[in-house]
Amino acid sequence: QSALTQPRSVSGSPGQSVTISCTGTSSDIGGYNYVSWYQQHPGRAPKLMISDVTKRPSGVPDRFSGSKSGNTASLTISGLQAEDEADYCCCSYAGGSLVFGGGTKVTVL
Amino acid sequence: EVQLLESGGGMVQPGGSLRLSCAASGFIFNTYAMNWVRQAPGKGLEWVSGISGSGYNTYYSDSVKGRCTISRDNSKNTLHLQMISLRAEDTAVYYCAKVSEIRGQGTLVTVSS
């Protein structure tokens, strides 16, 4: 069982928006602004999509956005595209350690 | 831009040792905690070890405690992970992270006889 809770899967049609939630506690997500989101395709290295809750690294499309409220972080993909179909995993600093979500499969219908 | 480049992986027999390194650039290295994260084949990301910016505080997962030592050289912007008594279950791609940011391609550690 992962420390952070994510839905197993979400889906949407091209052009739609989807939001992935990531729920932790006050000892991780709620206590620090070090939440990252990763996109991962099978056999590939995780790709950083969001850091520090809301920051997009260079090269990440602006249709990806991050937010946080209390102990829950969220990743929103606006204007879903076929290439966004992948696994997405959240990560939070937890005061000395890192905790991860179990991953969410995003399917583009 | 933040860059993290892992190295030092390889194939080793059970009971062997390896020293992983991570060269960091693009940020003020000594002001950030650093972490090692691994991903075993077909599995999710797993935190392995962390170290404070000063290097004074170190942290380990139960799965590697007593077998790994994390260190950093702030004069060279480099992070290390010394691993001993390696087991088959340590087989994974190892990534370094600036706090929670994995930026590199990782280094593969394979423990097999």
Side-chain angles (χ1 to χ4, degrees):
Chain A
Q1 186 173 356
S2 301
L4 303 179
T5 300
Q6 297 180 234
R8 296 280 302 262
S9 64
V10 298
S11 61
S13 300
Q16 289 187 329
S17 293
V18 295
T19 296
I20 304 168
S21 61
C22 173
T23 302
T25 69
S26 58
S27 296
D28 40 67
I29 292 176
Y32 305 93
N33 286 323
Y34 289 119
V35 177
S36 295
W37 287 91
Y38 295 94
Q39 177 192 70
Q40 194 164 26
H41 292 98
R44 303 290 298 274
K47 178 183 178 181
L48 181 67
M49 306 302 284
I50 296 288
S51 66
D52 298 346
V53 180
T54 61
K55 296 179 182 177
R56 252 188 334 272
S58 174
V60 173
D62 60 7
R63 63 178 182 275
F64 290 88
S65 62
S67 62
K68 186 182 87 166
S69 178
N71 298 335
T72 298
S74 298
L75 174 71
T76 298
I77 310 174
S78 305
L80 199 61
Q81 297 187 9
E83 60 261 36
D84 299 333
E85 185 162 296
D87 290 321
Y88 292 81
C89 179
C90 58
C91 171
S92 175
Y93 184 65
S97 66
L98 296 177
V99 290
F100 291 92
T104 298
K105 171 68 175 177
V106 171
T107 301
V108 181
L109 300 172
Chain B
E1 184 173 351
V2 172
Q3 292 191 342
L4 301 170
L5 182 61
E6 303 92 346
S7 62
M11 180 173 286
V12 62
Q13 293 186 337
S17 62
L18 278 176
R19 187 186 193 220
L20 307 184
S21 297
C22 171
S25 61
F27 63 102
I28 304 173
F29 185 68
N30 63 8
T31 64
Y32 289 92
M34 296 292 293
N35 290 280
W36 285 100
V37 174
R38 68 185 180 185
Q39 187 168 35
K43 302 293 186 181
L45 295 166
E46 177 193 14
W47 174 74
V48 174
S49 182
I51 188 168
S52 61
S54 65
Y56 187 77
N57 296 303
T58 58
Y59 310 89
Y60 301 94
S61 68
D62 288 342
S63 59
V64 304
K65 195 172 295 182
R67 300 188 299 118
C68 287
T69 302
I70 190 171
S71 62
R72 64 192 297 161
D73 184 340
N74 285 343
S75 69
K76 296 181 179 179
N77 289 1
T78 304
L79 177 72
H80 300 287
L81 185 69
Q82 178 71 51
M83 303 188 294
I84 65 171
S85 303
L86 283 162
R87 308 166 179 167
E89 53 265 36
D90 295 317
T91 294
V93 177
Y94 285 72
Y95 302 94
C96 65
K98 166 185 170 274
V99 196
S100 66
E101 302 172 32
I102 296 170
R103 299 264 189 169
Q105 295 301 303
T107 187
L108 176 62
V109 172
T110 303
V111 184
S112 175
S113 55

